[in-house]
Amino acid sequence: MARDFFLAKTLSLLLLMFASLPLLADEETSDINASSPPASTSIVGDLHTDENNGVPVKTVHGLSLYDTPELPADFPYFPHVNPQAPKGGTIAHTAVGSSFDSTNPFIIRGTPATGISNIYDTLMVSNPNEPFSVYGLLAKGVRLDPDRQWIEFDLRPEARFQDGEPVTAYDVVFSFNLLREEGNPFYGSYYAGVDEAIAINEHQVRFTLNDTESRELPLIVTQLPILPRHYWEPRDFTSPTLVAHPGSGPYQISEVDPGRRIVYQRDEDYWGKDLPVNVGRYNIDRIIYDYYRDRDIAWEAFKAGLTDFREDARAATWAIGYNFPAYEEGLVKRLTVPDVNPSMMQAFVFNLRKEKFQDPRVREALSLTFDFPWLNTNIFYNTYRRTNSYFQNSEMEAIGLPSEEELALLAPFREELIASHGSDRLFTQPLPIEQPTDLRERLHKALELLREAGYRVEDGTLVNQETGEPLQLEVLLYDSGLERVVQPMLRNMARLGIQTSLRIVDINQYLNRQRNYDYDIVVSHFPQSNNPGNEQRDFWTSAAAEAPQSRNRMSLAHPAVDALVEAIISAESREELDTATRALDRVLRWGFYAIPHYHSGEKRIAIWDKFGYPDPFPAYAMDLDAWWVDAEREAALQQRQRGR
């Protein structure tokens, strides 16, 4: 549910890390509950005044990107929720194409169970109706140094882990150190701007910050998941486990059946159930994730009522598949929710560690073989639009020629960019990149580029003129959902004389090969919020290219990209942020490091009609945690299923 993303961009990214692999769909992926954290902060409130280093700093109930949080200190609940929502019932989700062998989502080893973040609380949480505000959860108050050199939290004395032990500042410090030192390498990068966490006393904790230019860093700290020190300290944190360990959140692990299902039970004694940020939320008693290796079987399970919530990422199914009896009888509903965030970039990504992908002309030629118009007409029912930008459908998308402000950021790296990109087009030609619409023209252009790059066709095979080696490519997948998208592209590559193959492997082999960068081309995706920041380091930078299991699947290492990422993180204004992201977008697109896919601009959801939910949905996330089950409708559906 929404806690898979901790209602914030930060843990939207962590969900991807939890899963250890791209969230592949048949055609498109999307994040139902991903909302955006702030990229800079303002403070508001007058709970009380505290003295720190002689400087009076207010203790406040919330942090916000601009001005003040919308909700006052005494708000009773988030405006979009139903405070009278009934408790009870079950929601059954589908997990497709993978299994799990661990209930520890924070480490590099193992495949974590879906939904595991339901058991954890964070220091503060986002309001799904605001794009850039957070409010206290474990923390009842927060103090942020005006110069952003430190941030302090006052913990709620009543906060408890699920085994009854109190949540203290020592648990916060332990969690921070544990994740940075023994957790997934992502944490070391993401919290690099934090010097240390210090327990002032049992209920007060301070984080000292060394990266005072990162305006989102204080907000990143608020989203730290808190683990129980008393449980993990005597155990090996780095090893996968299937134990139902305690958290402090609204749900407990109640059933673990590796590879088949995991079940979470609402904790009726949850310490925070009456907090304003939780009233009207976490209403459903049982959250089930049933695992299916095959998408078609998962679809049949949904139609049969074995699962009752489905995000439909297959255009053909959405267009013509809902002709089964339950839908025709009105027992199944379809919902479409507009996507207010930048459309996520999903793409075929080249592994730049491979010599054959070093030449930008080769990468550009390969990108020309992706025939989106044919796919959209023949497979997708014309429901998609081509994705061009890494910040598509936002003011951060690069369009036209670079502005003077962009050129100022790019100028120090002009020679390096021309060398790495093979020309000065980045500086002289507008975006979007114009490519022939006719496939034959595109393939002709692709062959010309390959010849310029030193290849020739011999007996129908494209070979390197110097070495005589054929150009061979393998696309690696762990799920067959995208096979019908991959195969037409491979056929077009074959027409150029390229030797191609598609390898679909089991999840464990896929993870091992991914971690070892043992692939030519994989599918990856790059979710963006309206305020990108520190997570960009994990997507694109040289440091991430060397880190195991980073999101830099293309192994991109370029000084200009590194500098632009830092410019994004340190942006002092919205204008500076937009300029830096446009410049980065321009560098990535003219580098042809990936073959972009497509997007719909909306989320498509099918449900069995037993749920109540906010209407309208909150502005920046669906917030599944605010849904509830109508007991009468659920009972009627169960009776129908038994009578069939």
Side-chain angles (χ1 to χ4, degrees):
M1 302 182 79
R3 286 193 173 231
D4 275 334
F5 302 91
F6 291 91
L7 290 177
K9 171 192 68 178
T10 305
L11 297 198
S12 169
L13 267 175
L14 296 188
L15 176 64
L16 305 183
M17 302 307 300
F18 291 172
S20 303
L21 56 129
L23 295 174
L24 298 184
D26 296 283
E27 295 141 16
E28 179 186 37
T29 60
S30 58
D31 293 342
I32 290 180
N33 291 290
S35 60
S36 310
S40 63
T41 54
S42 302
I43 59 176
V44 63
D46 54 0
L47 299 183
H48 66 267
T49 300
D50 194 36
E51 294 288 336
N52 291 276
N53 298 327
V55 178
V57 179
K58 284 185 177 180
T59 300
V60 297
H61 72 290
L63 300 176
S64 180
L65 171 59
Y66 301 118
D67 300 323
T68 64
E70 289 184 7
L71 303 180
D74 60 350
F75 76 95
Y77 44 80
F78 287 145
H80 68 280
V81 307
N82 173 9
Q84 305 302 321
K87 306 295 185 183
T90 298
I91 183 170
H93 295 270
T94 299
V96 179
S98 62
S99 60
F100 69 93
D101 59 11
S102 180
T103 54
N104 182 353
F106 303 109
I107 57 176
I108 196 169
R109 296 169 59 191
T111 304
T114 304
I116 196 67
S117 54
N118 284 298
I119 74 171
Y120 296 105
D121 272 338
T122 51
L123 294 169
M124 304 180 80
V125 293
S126 299
N127 173 11
N129 247 326
E130 294 179 66
F132 316 121
S133 295
V134 290
Y135 298 88
L137 179 54
L138 285 169
K140 66 178 180 179
V142 57
R143 288 174 293 280
L144 175 61
D145 173 44
D147 296 325
R148 296 193 300 275
Q149 294 183 348
W150 51 262
I151 186 171
E152 285 182 358
F153 300 92
D154 296 332
L155 301 185
R156 299 182 191 272
E158 68 270 27
R160 292 289 183 275
F161 291 107
Q162 290 158 353
D163 59 4
E165 291 293 319
V167 180
T168 70
Y170 308 111
D171 294 295
V172 176
V173 173
F174 173 80
S175 300
F176 175 75
N177 292 333
L178 182 68
L179 292 176
R180 283 216 305 190
E181 296 168 9
E182 299 185 36
N184 191 295
F186 170 83
Y187 293 100
S189 171
Y190 207 57
Y191 296 126
V194 181
D195 268 335
E196 63 178 337
I198 306 166
I200 299 172
N201 55 49
E202 189 173 8
H203 294 117
Q204 288 186 322
V205 62
R206 168 185 282 213
F207 294 84
T208 59
L209 313 177
N210 60 61
D211 187 357
T212 58
E213 292 187 355
S214 175
R215 300 184 66 84
E216 76 167 347
L217 184 58
L219 275 296
I220 289 174
V221 174
T222 71
Q223 298 158 359
L224 176 72
I226 308 305
L227 285 66
R229 181 180 68 162
H230 66 275
Y231 179 86
W232 286 110
E233 196 167 44
R235 291 173 169 82
D236 180 7
F237 184 72
T238 63
S239 296
T241 177
L242 289 169
V243 174
H245 49 81
S248 60
Y251 287 91
Q252 297 175 300
I253 301 171
S254 67
E255 180 183 339
V256 178
D257 188 356
R260 296 175 61 88
R261 71 159 34 185
I262 186 165
V263 180
Y264 304 93
Q265 182 71 36
R266 184 172 62 85
D267 183 2
E268 294 188 359
D269 297 322
Y270 172 43
W271 72 271
K273 61 185 176 182
D274 296 323
L275 295 179
V277 295
N278 290 334
V279 170
R281 307 175 76 208
Y282 313 115
N283 305 305
I284 299 176
D285 276 353
R286 298 177 77 234
I287 305 172
I288 301 171
Y289 291 90
D290 282 322
Y291 280 74
Y292 296 90
R293 291 189 176 275
D294 184 273
R295 293 179 181 275
D296 292 330
I297 296 175
W299 171 230
E300 295 301 322
F302 175 79
K303 291 194 293 183
L306 300 179
T307 58
D308 45 38
F309 182 97
R310 169 184 173 86
E311 185 182 1
D312 202 325
R314 175 173 281 183
T317 303
W318 192 256
I320 63 174
Y322 287 81
N323 57 359
F324 53 96
Y327 181 76
E328 293 170 347
E329 295 171 23
L331 302 176
V332 170
K333 296 172 59 176
R334 294 194 295 173
L335 308 174
T336 56
V337 184
D339 191 354
V340 298
N341 292 308
S343 297
M344 182 170 60
M345 168 68 79
Q346 178 172 291
F348 297 116
V349 172
F350 302 117
N351 182 359
L352 299 179
R353 295 183 179 216
K354 302 292 184 76
E355 180 65 29
K356 57 193 167 189
F357 296 128
Q358 287 299 306
D359 194 315
R361 293 169 295 189
V362 172
R363 301 193 299 267
E364 182 178 359
L366 296 174
S367 71
L368 289 166
T369 66
F370 185 72
D371 193 2
F372 171 72
W374 184 90
L375 289 171
N376 204 28
T377 300
N378 293 279
I379 295 179
F380 300 156
Y381 293 82
N382 290 311
T383 57
Y384 290 111
R385 298 186 292 275
R386 183 73 189 272
T387 302
N388 294 306
S389 167
Y390 289 83
F391 303 91
Q392 187 86 28
N393 295 332
S394 77
E395 60 190 8
M396 300 174 287
E397 176 182 353
I399 298 175
L401 292 168
S403 65
E404 291 184 7
E405 292 78 11
E406 287 179 67
L407 289 172
L409 292 174
L410 296 169
F413 306 96
R414 183 182 179 89
E415 296 304 318
E416 292 163 294
L417 287 167
I418 291 175
S420 62
H421 286 55
S423 74
D424 65 353
R425 292 183 298 176
L426 187 155
F427 298 92
T428 61
Q429 294 187 23
L431 289 173
I433 300 168
E434 292 293 332
Q435 301 287 19
T437 56
D438 180 74
L439 177 61
R440 288 191 177 187
E441 290 184 47
R442 291 206 306 277
L443 294 182
H444 179 73
K445 181 178 178 180
L447 190 57
E448 288 182 346
L449 288 166
L450 290 167
R451 285 171 174 160
E452 291 175 12
Y455 288 89
R456 68 176 184 271
V457 178
E458 290 185 357
D459 299 325
T461 300
L462 191 73
V463 299
N464 186 296
Q465 291 185 127
E466 292 185 1
T467 66
E469 293 292 323
L471 181 56
Q472 298 176 323
L473 305 175
E474 178 187 85
V475 177
L476 181 68
L477 299 176
Y478 70 91
D479 176 29
S480 61
L482 278 172
E483 183 174 2
R484 61 186 185 151
V485 176
V486 174
Q487 290 290 9
M489 181 180 70
L490 296 187
R491 287 195 293 270
N492 292 334
M493 290 181 182
R495 293 172 63 179
L496 299 174
I498 302 171
Q499 295 181 353
T500 64
S501 62
L502 171 62
R503 174 70 72 88
I504 302 175
V505 298
D506 67 73
I507 186 63
N508 292 325
Q509 184 179 352
Y510 181 89
L511 289 173
N512 287 331
R513 290 188 59 177
Q514 178 181 275
R515 289 164 181 164
N516 295 322
Y517 294 92
D518 180 20
Y519 52 82
D520 291 335
I521 300 172
V522 293
V523 177
S524 191
H525 63 291
F526 307 96
Q528 297 290 359
S529 76
N530 286 304
N531 281 273
N534 285 31
E535 78 289 342
Q536 304 300 309
R537 289 176 177 147
D538 203 48
F539 285 165
W540 323 113
T541 64
S542 302
E546 299 300 322
Q549 205 169 324
S550 79
R551 295 291 299 158
N552 189 350
R553 300 271 159 69
M554 57 184 66
S555 297
L556 176 60
H558 197 293
V561 172
D562 295 346
L564 291 171
V565 167
E566 294 309 309
I568 290 171
I569 293 171
S570 62
E572 291 288 337
S573 68
R574 183 75 231 187
E575 291 74 20
E576 288 185 13
L577 178 68
D578 290 344
T579 297
T581 52
R582 290 169 190 153
L584 176 62
D585 191 31
R586 200 173 296 277
V587 171
L588 295 174
R589 290 162 68 179
W590 280 115
F592 296 98
Y593 300 117
I595 304 176
H597 288 184
Y598 30 77
H599 63 278
S600 66
E602 64 183 13
K603 297 171 178 62
R604 302 181 296 241
I605 297 163
I607 57 174
W608 281 80
D609 188 18
K610 67 176 188 178
F611 299 105
Y613 45 81
D615 187 13
F617 291 119
Y620 294 95
M622 279 189 59
D623 192 12
L624 290 176
D625 292 328
W627 287 37
W628 64 92
V629 172
D630 184 298
E632 291 185 4
R633 283 187 283 162
E634 183 177 52
L637 288 175
Q638 291 173 346
Q639 181 65 34
R640 175 187 181 275
Q641 296 301 101
R642 287 194 294 266
R644 291 184 61 182

